[in-house]
Amino acid sequence: MIVAITAMLSFGASPRWEAIDVPGRIFSEQKSDSETGTEIAVRDSFIYIASTRPVTVKVFTILGQLISQETVPAGTHRLQMGAKGIYILKIGSTTRRVTI
């Protein structure tokens, strides 16, 4: 019964960005954006961003459904995606397509 309750509580919860301390090799094949001062990388099932200032990040499915919206502080952060696919990542006024 506890498992069922936990599953019901976690269902529909949006993924959260978590701050991490990573070596620079995560961003060796990154896409960088001089407008927002961010770098974006995709590894395994994670989207990584590194920013020099706080930014608002929105993640959408390819069909336009909002999955996550959060303002993250300066630093390196990652978001674990639950499913493989194509996602739209909007950071400030910049939009990028990422494939997991």
Side-chain angles (χ1 to χ4, degrees):
M1 180 160 174
I2 293 174
V3 173
I5 292 171
T6 304
M8 288 188 327
L9 291 175
S10 65
F11 180 75
S14 65
R16 304 280 303 171
W17 287 94
E18 61 179 326
I20 59 169
D21 184 25
V22 297
R25 62 187 156 104
I26 289 287
F27 294 99
S28 62
E29 297 176 10
Q30 85 283 357
K31 297 177 182 176
S32 67
D33 185 354
S34 58
E35 180 183 328
T36 58
T38 60
E39 294 179 292
I40 303 165
V42 177
R43 296 280 189 269
D44 302 320
S45 295
F46 291 96
I47 298 173
Y48 293 88
I49 62 167
S51 178
T52 57
R53 60 188 171 98
V55 291
T56 299
V57 182
K58 296 179 183 179
V59 181
F60 297 90
T61 66
I62 194 67
L63 298 175
Q65 180 183 11
L66 181 65
I67 295 175
S68 172
Q69 177 178 344
E70 198 169 334
T71 299
V72 296
T76 304
H77 303 275
R78 73 178 180 184
L79 178 69
Q80 183 171 17
M81 301 308 294
K84 292 185 179 192
I86 300 171
Y87 296 92
I88 306 300
L89 186 64
K90 184 167 181 163
I91 301 174
S93 62
T94 302
T95 304
R96 295 279 185 252
R97 179 182 59 96
V98 294
T99 303
I100 305 290

